[in-house]
Amino acid sequence: GKSSLVNRILGEERLIVSDIAGTTRDAIDSNFENEFGKYTFIDTAGVRRKSKIKENIEKFSIMRTLFAIERSDVCCIVINAEEGIIEHDKHIASYALEAGKPIVLVVNKWDTVNDKNDIKSFTTLMRSEFQFLSYVPIVFLSAKTKKRIHTLMPEVLKVYENSLREIKTSVLNE
């Protein structure tokens, strides 16, 4: 899902896409420029439960994902609408939060949800599961069909700009 999403945003098939989970093993940078600026998208390996991590290569993939979070300006946590929210989605989001990164929650594969009007109830579920991210925007889209994909970048830019704002405090004169 993450690789497909990056490919859609880039407008070309730069990243390998497969139905098999775990195809992306390393963090892959892709540069992109449009009228709003220059961007580097980092497609990371998905992180699975520790009990499922048997290969050293997968442990290395997790380390590269955490390093990608550290060097990012904005983290998009991609949730698979078919699977629903899994514990590791919350773990990755907490890593991004601990690193002080602006975050956008992205619900991908929204085309697979039968009731498209279900955004309200899925949003309620997301807010419940990600209580520690109550202020974070949630975007529903489908990388496969390109539906609602135009809603992602405005949210990414908004959270990035908000992260740059200084909060002024009043100073009391004695």
Side-chain angles (χ1 to χ4, degrees), residues 15-171:
L15 302 173
I16 296 170
V17 175
S18 170
D19 290 335
I20 302 165
T23 300
T24 304
R25 296 281 187 126
D26 199 358
I28 302 165
D29 291 16
S30 298
N31 295 313
F32 173 71
E33 187 173 349
N34 66 13
E35 66 271 18
F36 302 109
K38 293 180 182 181
Y39 308 94
T40 300
F41 292 95
I42 308 170
D43 181 25
T44 61
V47 178
R48 298 187 283 188
R49 284 183 206 89
K50 286 185 182 174
S51 62
K52 304 255 184 195
I53 301 168
K54 294 183 177 145
E55 298 176 44
N56 284 335
I57 218 161
E58 190 154 355
K59 290 177 184 174
F60 178 74
S61 295
I62 292 167
M63 289 173 30
R64 298 283 293 164
T65 296
L66 297 178
F67 179 66
I69 289 171
E70 287 294 328
R71 64 189 182 94
S72 68
D73 291 321
V74 175
C75 293
C76 293
I77 310 300
V78 181
I79 310 295
N80 180 332
E82 286 179 309
E83 282 183 357
I85 302 158
I86 59 174
E87 270 315 296
H88 271 67
D89 294 331
K90 292 188 257 184
H91 290 300
I92 293 297
S94 70
Y95 293 140
L97 180 64
E98 286 173 23
K101 302 301 177 175
I103 299 168
V104 176
L105 293 170
V106 181
V107 180
N108 189 22
K109 300 186 182 183
W110 193 245
D111 58 305
T112 64
V113 175
N114 291 331
D115 185 4
K116 301 300 185 274
N117 297 321
D118 210 26
I119 283 180
K120 187 176 180 181
S121 61
F122 206 95
T123 298
T124 302
L125 175 65
M126 293 281 288
R127 293 291 178 216
S128 172
E129 292 291 321
F130 291 94
Q131 290 178 9
F132 60 101
L133 297 176
S134 60
Y135 59 93
V136 169
I138 303 170
V139 176
F140 294 84
L141 54 77
S142 169
K144 183 178 181 180
T145 65
K146 299 182 185 178
K147 293 270 183 177
R148 301 176 52 87
I149 203 156
H150 66 280
T151 63
L152 177 59
M153 284 306 289
E155 294 299 333
V156 168
L157 293 172
K158 189 186 310 176
V159 298
Y160 178 69
E161 288 167 9
N162 286 342
S163 75
L164 298 177
R165 286 192 178 151
E166 276 186 41
I167 299 174
K168 301 198 188 273
T169 57
S170 61
V171 178

